[in-house]
Amino acid sequence: PDPNISPLPPGSHILFAQSGRIEYIPLEGHNLKKNEAKTALHLPEKVVIGIAFDCMEKMVYWTDISTPAISRASLRGGEPVHIITSDLSSPEGIAIDHVGRNVFWTDSMKDRIEVASLDGSQRLVLINTDLVNPRAILTDPTNGYIYWADWNRDAPKIEMAYMDGTNRRILVKDDLSLPNGLTYDPQTSLLCWADAGTHKVECMNPQQGSRRQLMEGIQYPFGLTTDGKSLYYTDWTRRAVVVVDRHARQEVDEFQPQKQTRLYGITTAHAHCPSGQNYCSSN
Amino acid sequence: DSTVGSSSDCKLCPCPAGATCAVVPRTKEVVCTNCPTGTTGKRCELCDDGFFGDPLGENGRVRTCRACSCNNNIDPNAVGNCNRETGECLKCIYNTAGVFCDRCKEGFYGDARAANVSDKCKACSCSPYGTVDKKTTCSQVTGQCQCLPHVINRDCSACEPGFYNLQSGKGCERCNCNSIGSTN
């Protein structure tokens, strides 16, 4: 049979984590080439939650709650390497600043947000107050921001701060329930989230604050990513990757892996890095 | 590896029935790729996240994977709720603790297994003035804090009748009222 483990071919891909492996689906334009979906990495003993992609070195980074660890591997073929193994409890969300060459993550048991260089050195706690169940995190390298969501049942919220943890502020706290997934499109400056409690996908411009609903009645979203045109979310109930067209505001495709189990983090592996610079790239 | 050219190139997958397997190109290690529902691991020997058991009986009898069992004191939106083999609960909520979130955590009392969240674990809230060594823990069942001499109430917040000066932090003192001039 097909070995089903292979280095990523050229082009852009959707990567997602499912029970001990990281899968990829090639993108052709904005369409999923579902019949070319394959396993990029087998990590049979691990529980991979969050994944992120470094467009510069073509490396995938992930959080693993079973070790627990933060690890990376080259998608051109390469061994997984732990970059952080100490002082972690439940590392979940992960994001890369490809410009500043840093990795950010949330830990829902330590209740903090941390940063380190991509090799795991220079580790620093950025935020350790007013966090209960921090999960999704993402970066806006051009403007030097991080965004994250906390699904605290008593007071869920979406927040932002500078990449050094300063200038923290709450973006959304009303009409939120379980904002598991979060994504940002640098082209349109739109921050979108998928909520497993309100069963909605909503977006806003973080600078202008205008909020609008994209989808309602969705089932159980966990991870969320975008390629600029479509949104892709993993769904625990449907055990699938669901594709939503942002302009048509409707579901346009679905990918259901052969293996029937929950899907976790999802990210877009762009063939090329978006251009841009930030303070951290020179300091 | 079917490209070697001998009749024994292809071997049976060392996986449970129905699962396929693959050779990891770099390490030549064989891993199962489509483990039965609820299982994972190189040989389908582990349970998926949110489940526990020992599906191949590697450490004793076979225990099929079942959902984490934590007295309804875990959040279904959380990940890693229990140890995948032993089922030990790792993310107890509602101020519960224990292997199966079956007791109250330190500083709380009540019935961790109660059906209603409001009946579960309540804070001890021991009075710092009336409690021995200003302890913040209490009896896990009754909620009784350990009171200083002549201090009463579950939370050690009051003096016995005929005693005063809880604020001293050393227990309550006898009033010493003159029986002739006092009303009772």
Side-chain angles (χ1 to χ4, degrees):
Chain A
D2 177 7
N4 205 32
I5 306 170
S6 58
L8 250 63
S12 296
H13 307 272
I14 296 294
L15 298 172
F16 66 92
Q18 185 189 28
S19 177
R21 50 191 183 181
I22 294 173
E23 308 268 320
Y24 70 86
I25 319 169
L27 280 170
E28 191 167 51
H30 296 281
N31 295 317
L32 288 180
K33 291 163 87 174
K34 293 192 279 187
N35 53 3
E36 291 176 31
K38 285 199 170 78
T39 301
L41 275 171
H42 262 292
L43 305 156
E45 278 143 19
K46 311 300 184 190
V47 178
V48 179
I49 304 297
I51 59 173
F53 179 71
D54 172 29
C55 55
M56 303 265 287
E57 295 182 303
K58 312 287 182 210
M59 300 267 268
V60 64
Y61 289 71
W62 65 91
T63 56
D64 154 27
I65 56 167
S66 59
T67 307
I70 293 171
S71 313
R72 67 175 176 181
S74 167
L75 284 175
R76 298 186 183 122
E79 284 301 300
V81 176
H82 292 322
I83 59 166
I84 305 266
T85 52
S86 66
D87 204 22
L88 293 172
S89 289
S90 188
E92 296 187 12
I94 184 167
I96 303 289
D97 167 14
H98 71 275
V99 181
R101 312 306 294 151
N102 291 315
V103 54
F104 298 79
W105 70 91
T106 58
D107 189 317
S108 76
M109 286 180 90
K110 301 251 177 222
D111 294 335
R112 58 196 190 193
I113 291 171
E114 297 191 63
V115 65
S117 297
L118 292 180
D119 62 2
S121 65
Q122 315 255 355
R123 181 177 175 180
L124 189 70
V125 176
L126 288 182
I127 309 253
N128 61 3
T129 57
D130 297 317
L131 296 175
V132 173
N133 281 311
R135 177 163 281 164
I137 186 165
L138 54 87
T139 62
D140 171 9
T142 312
N143 299 303
Y145 291 122
I146 50 172
Y147 300 91
W148 69 91
D150 184 330
W151 60 270
N152 173 15
R153 294 228 180 223
D154 296 323
K157 59 186 173 177
I158 296 170
E159 295 190 85
M160 67 183 291
Y162 287 142
M163 281 181 172
D164 64 358
T166 62
N167 199 28
R168 178 182 181 182
R169 63 188 176 96
I170 294 177
L171 284 173
V172 188
K173 60 182 172 60
D174 298 324
D175 302 312
L176 278 184
S177 180
L178 300 170
N180 281 335
L182 198 62
T183 190
Y184 181 75
D185 175 29
Q187 298 292 308
T188 54
S189 302
L190 266 190
L191 179 77
C192 300
W193 62 94
D195 191 312
T198 63
H199 305 283
K200 289 177 181 175
V201 179
E202 295 182 82
C203 298
M204 73 181 286
N205 181 315
Q207 303 304 331
Q208 297 163 0
S210 51
R211 174 177 175 178
R212 68 191 183 112
Q213 180 177 305
L214 212 67
M215 290 287 286
E216 62 182 339
I218 64 170
Q219 293 199 39
Y220 207 104
F222 187 85
L224 180 67
T225 189
T226 184
D227 61 6
K229 177 171 180 281
S230 300
L231 293 170
Y232 304 81
Y233 68 88
T234 54
D235 190 300
W236 273 7
T237 304
R238 296 171 60 172
R239 297 171 167 185
V241 174
V242 183
V243 188
V244 172
D245 185 288
R246 212 179 65 205
H247 303 291
R249 299 189 190 196
Q250 61 181 12
E251 181 177 329
V252 290
D253 202 359
E254 168 193 53
F255 174 74
Q256 192 164 41
Q258 193 183 352
K259 186 166 173 66
Q260 284 287 293
T261 179
R262 294 198 301 209
L263 282 64
Y264 293 86
I266 188 167
T267 194
T268 312
H270 290 285
H272 304 287
C273 286
S275 56
Q277 274 207 323
N278 71 17
Y279 181 80
C280 297
S281 61
S282 55
N283 194 330
Chain B
D1 183 354
S2 58
T3 61
V4 176
S6 81
S7 59
S8 59
D9 285 351
C10 293
K11 296 186 180 66
L12 200 63
C13 284
C15 306
T20 52
C21 66
V23 179
V24 178
R26 292 178 301 274
T27 59
K28 305 291 178 207
E29 190 178 30
V30 178
V31 295
C32 302
T33 51
N34 279 299
C35 289
T37 303
T39 67
T40 182
K42 282 180 196 165
R43 297 280 182 274
C44 310
E45 78 282 15
L46 296 169
C47 297
D48 274 334
D49 178 41
F51 294 81
F52 73 102
D54 186 359
L56 297 188
E58 291 197 315
N59 292 306
R61 67 189 166 82
V62 171
R63 289 178 291 128
T64 53
C65 299
R66 55 194 189 95
C68 297
S69 169
C70 304
N71 287 295
N72 292 321
N73 291 329
I74 47 172
D75 195 307
N77 196 51
V79 295
N81 270 323
C82 70
N83 177 296
R84 292 196 281 169
E85 200 214 321
T86 64
E88 180 189 352
C89 300
L90 305 173
K91 291 194 169 177
C92 300
I93 55 172
Y94 307 131
N95 301 309
T96 64
V99 175
F100 299 106
C101 307
D102 49 348
R103 58 178 177 80
C104 295
K105 71 177 184 186
E106 271 204 4
F108 291 81
Y109 73 101
D111 179 7
R113 299 168 192 244
N116 289 325
V117 172
S118 55
D119 298 337
K120 287 181 189 281
C121 300
K122 295 178 269 289
C124 294
S125 308
C126 303
S127 162
Y129 301 113
T131 307
V132 173
D133 297 334
K134 297 187 179 169
K135 278 187 191 164
T136 53
T137 55
C138 60
S139 158
Q140 297 238 315
V141 181
T142 64
Q144 182 63 52
C145 302
Q146 199 182 339
C147 298
L148 289 161
H150 308 296
V151 177
I152 56 167
N153 287 356
R154 184 201 63 75
D155 57 355
C156 309
S157 59
C159 292
E160 276 178 24
F163 289 79
Y164 77 108
N165 200 10
L166 178 74
Q167 257 69 7
S168 72
K170 295 172 192 158
C172 298
E173 300 163 43
R174 195 176 296 276
C175 295
N176 279 329
C177 303
N178 190 309
S179 58
I180 297 168
S182 307
T183 55
N184 59 37

